[in-house]
Amino acid sequence: MAAMAAGNPFYITTPIFYVNDVPHIGHAYTEVAADVLARWHRQAGDDTWLLTGTDEHGQKILRTAVANDTTPKAWADKLVADAWLPLLKTINIANDDFIRTTDERHETAVVTFLQKLYDDGFIYSGEYEGYYCVGCEEYKQLDDLMETPDCDYAGQQVCKIHGRPVEILQEKNYFFRMSDFQQKLLDLYESNPDFIQTESVRNEIIQFVKQGLDDLSISRSSFDWGIQIPRDHSHVLYVWFDALLNYITAIGYGSDDEQFERRWPAVHVVGKDIARFHAVIWPAMLMAAGLPVPTRVFGHGWLLVGGEKMSKSKLTGIAPSQITDTYGVDAFRYYIMSAISFGSDGSFSWEDLSARYHAELANGFGNLASRVIAMVIKYRDGVVPVAELDPVVYATEQRVTLEADAAIESLAIHEALAAIWQLVDDLNGYITVQEPWALSKDPANAARLDTVLATVVHGLGTLAVLLAPVIPDAAARLWSAIGGLGALADQPIRTAWEWTGGSAVTALETSLFPRIESPEPAVA
Ligand code: MSP
């Protein structure tokens, strides 16, 4: 039997998360963004693959494990099982795979990759001395450091990102000939302007590479929690070199050529703080191995609390469940995707969450769904009239679908939502103007009422199809309440307005987004 033709490949990744601590909503932000993009492409029929996972080697994890009186592997196992896998459920991520850098499939393929680079002359041994930030797991240049007036660290050089003192490391290391790739990287950025996004991240990285690239120290001998360097087991691989490789080891690099060819290259969604690793070191590694570079590296902004990046170490981390327990997972997903322009920083506040929840989800969308369904039940016994659709509304359905799809293509998730919300607003406006309750009073208006009801039910169906990637549960409830045929996830999203069916409605047992009296949990 001939295999079904698969759609265009779309492989998207999240960063793999350090398991030194439990997740906060900043981590959930990256996950949800990648998941929305993946769900959209999957629903469009693209051959989609979403990868996420955990980054488990290196000094940071080792130190955390030691501080907790356990081994790094036992610590990682515990955090993955108790925190990182449950996170995916809490925020409803439909990932296709989950890789851990301690997986055997990863470790084996990393050794294959290293051996290839070694054989091809891209790795050599030498001496290195520099400032190292364990928080970043990175050697730092003087530009990356500052002296702080903070009394604890007064007079010391601290990392600008972590605000903690750096350590001076001097080691015999293995090096990757990254300097060989300076011009090739600049050519890549020039010939493919979308390779790094956003524009400001791109400019910063180009500036950085133009200043000159040093070779990269890729091994450590002062501790042993990592993948051993082939033929010299006194060294373990630098954690970033190890971690970046997850994107290809998970899809069969070195073991399953068919899968690898089918998936690679990827779109990488990462926080702007780690864009440099993805847009400099990673493509250089791939070029050295003769592999295609990623399709895109998108550096998104940060969730801020009190003007600073939300972080556990600064005690500003909010657990995703603190929000989902009160507002539900859909509301959380919608809020972080719509309130912050994807690519910019955005401040989180409970007041803003509550205000948007009530204005946009409870009153705007949820109320629209309840009203339309209630009117079809009241005026037509739940049967959706078969009638011409109002062409103006139908044209809006088509327009917003195309606008939203174009926005997703350029990874502007917030713009896609803004486009879809025009339909929510237009349907609400249409009902106000058409006054179905007034039409229902005079049998002479029966045909007009049929058109109005059929039109708004159709608009709701289009909304369900378009919103499924962002608010999967509420969209599925709506789809079933208006009698949508087939699984919602199978409705072609790029032609959402063309859906047909929906001959009868059933009442929603509870509102899609009920009002919430106390916006902030008692213990925040
Ligand atoms: N392990 C590395 C990534 C390796 S990828 C080959 C790492 N892990 S991390 O757990 O520290 O961060 C993972 C992601 O969470 C990064 O993209 C980071 O930008 C993101 N965020 C962490 N705090 C965040 C906010 N406050 N806001 C938005 N994203 C944030 O880096």
Side-chain angles (χ1 to χ4, degrees):
M1 223 170 66
M4 255 182 39
N8 295 325
F10 182 72
Y11 174 33
I12 182 161
T13 68
T14 73
I16 51 171
F17 298 89
Y18 286 130
V19 290
N20 61 315
D21 213 335
V22 297
H24 58 62
I25 59 174
H27 303 117
Y29 181 66
T30 311
E31 285 280 358
V32 171
D35 184 57
V36 167
L37 295 168
R39 283 177 188 261
W40 189 284
H41 280 267
R42 214 177 275 130
Q43 209 179 313
D46 294 341
D47 184 19
T48 303
W49 198 253
L50 169 62
L51 174 69
T52 187
T54 42
D55 189 352
E56 305 185 6
H57 291 129
Q59 224 162 337
K60 176 147 81 175
I61 312 298
L62 176 62
R63 285 187 186 176
T64 309
V66 170
N68 284 278
D69 252 346
T70 184
T71 64
K73 181 66 169 70
W75 177 260
D77 286 347
K78 181 173 159 49
L79 267 273
V80 169
D82 295 352
W84 290 94
L85 287 175
L87 169 73
L88 304 180
K89 282 217 159 47
T90 306
I91 56 175
N92 201 358
I93 302 299
N95 55 307
D96 296 288
D97 194 1
F98 186 94
I99 187 153
R100 301 179 54 181
T101 51
T102 51
D103 285 349
E104 207 203 299
R105 59 173 172 158
H106 174 75
E107 297 193 348
T108 310
V110 166
V111 170
T112 306
F113 185 93
L114 283 179
Q115 191 63 54
K116 164 136 187 69
L117 256 50
Y118 189 82
D119 293 345
D120 293 347
F122 289 108
I123 292 178
Y124 63 92
S125 63
E127 287 276 333
Y128 195 78
E129 180 172 356
Y131 296 109
Y132 195 79
C133 169
V134 176
C136 295
E137 292 280 17
E138 186 186 21
Y139 276 109
K140 295 285 171 184
Q141 303 300 323
L142 277 176
D143 280 0
D144 304 323
L145 307 176
M146 59 182 183
E147 272 196 30
T148 163
D150 182 321
C151 342
D152 285 350
Y153 307 131
Q156 299 185 54
Q157 293 285 351
V158 302
C159 162
K160 281 185 186 163
I161 295 176
H162 286 89
R164 301 246 174 100
V166 286
E167 300 172 15
I168 296 178
L169 291 189
Q170 184 185 25
E171 285 185 310
K172 171 182 169 283
N173 288 142
Y174 289 91
F175 285 83
F176 166 52
R177 293 192 191 279
M178 195 158 74
S179 58
D180 285 8
F181 295 93
Q182 179 179 359
Q183 194 51 47
K184 292 191 183 90
L185 288 169
L186 290 170
D187 294 346
L188 166 69
Y189 308 149
E190 167 103 28
S191 64
N192 184 352
D194 284 344
F195 176 72
I196 308 173
Q197 286 174 309
T198 60
E199 195 59 27
S200 71
V201 174
R202 176 171 189 267
N203 291 339
E204 190 193 308
I205 288 176
I206 292 178
Q207 271 323 101
F208 172 78
V209 175
K210 277 191 174 155
Q211 282 168 18
L213 286 183
D214 292 333
D215 288 345
L216 180 72
S217 154
I218 59 159
S219 72
R220 301 282 181 271
S221 55
S222 52
F223 63 94
D224 65 358
W225 178 234
I227 298 177
Q228 289 175 341
I229 299 285
R231 293 193 293 206
D232 185 350
H233 293 178
S234 62
H235 285 250
V236 292
L237 183 60
Y238 170 44
V239 63
W240 268 101
F241 216 78
D242 166 354
L244 289 162
L245 285 165
N246 91 87
Y247 301 128
I248 60 171
T249 62
I251 51 162
Y253 169 79
S255 64
D256 182 345
D257 292 347
E258 198 183 320
Q259 169 81 343
F260 183 70
E261 295 294 321
R262 175 173 168 187
R263 306 277 172 222
W264 189 250
V267 171
H268 297 310
V269 173
V270 301
K272 62 183 179 181
D273 48 326
I274 58 169
R276 207 198 270 182
F277 296 93
H278 286 79
V280 180
I281 301 180
W282 180 222
M285 289 165 67
L286 290 162
M287 286 172 180
L291 296 171
V293 297
T295 316
R296 278 185 204 188
V297 174
F298 188 98
H300 65 67
W302 291 334
L303 286 192
L304 308 176
V305 173
E308 279 198 50
K309 180 178 177 221
M310 174 179 296
S311 98
K312 268 275 165 183
S313 55
K314 292 187 178 152
L315 301 178
T316 52
I318 297 172
S321 58
Q322 282 180 262
I323 297 177
T324 56
D325 285 351
T326 308
Y327 288 86
V329 53
D330 281 340
F332 172 65
R333 293 169 59 100
Y334 171 79
Y335 172 72
I336 53 174
M337 290 297 105
S338 64
I340 304 164
S341 302
F342 196 50
S344 310
D345 292 345
S347 295
F348 171 83
S349 78
W350 289 99
E351 293 72 23
D352 188 40
L353 167 63
S354 171
R356 282 173 183 272
Y357 174 88
H358 287 103
E360 292 159 28
L361 291 177
N363 298 340
F365 174 62
N367 197 26
L368 169 70
S370 306
R371 277 165 89 199
V372 169
I373 292 167
M375 286 192 291
V376 177
I377 292 174
K378 186 164 173 197
Y379 304 136
R380 292 290 181 265
D381 287 330
V383 177
V384 181
V386 179
E388 282 285 295
L389 302 180
D390 223 316
V392 178
V393 177
Y394 193 65
T396 305
E397 290 176 43
Q398 176 171 15
R399 180 174 55 78
V400 305
T401 303
L402 298 176
E403 277 178 27
D405 190 49
I408 293 287
E409 215 36 58
S410 55
L411 309 189
I413 303 173
H414 59 289
E415 280 178 19
L417 277 167
I420 298 168
W421 238 255
Q422 292 173 31
L423 181 57
V424 173
D425 294 340
D426 276 17
L427 288 172
N428 275 319
Y430 180 76
I431 294 173
T432 308
V433 171
Q434 301 296 327
E435 300 188 315
W437 48 91
L439 294 175
S440 76
K441 296 208 169 95
D442 184 350
N445 292 328
R448 181 67 201 151
L449 181 58
D450 281 350
T451 286
V452 171
L453 293 178
T455 298
V456 285
V457 170
H458 195 271
L460 280 187
T462 299
L463 284 177
V465 175
L466 290 174
L467 288 171
V470 183
I471 49 171
D473 293 343
R477 281 185 64 206
L478 174 58
W479 182 248
S480 122
I482 59 167
L485 299 177
L488 180 57
D490 295 339
Q491 305 305 309
I493 203 162
R494 292 195 175 115
T495 49
W497 73 91
E498 285 181 356
W499 78 279
T500 55
S503 49
V505 302
T506 33
L508 287 164
E509 274 174 22
T510 53
S511 319
L512 293 178
F513 295 100
R515 293 195 64 77
I516 290 164
E517 294 319 326
S518 164
E520 187 170 349
V523 189

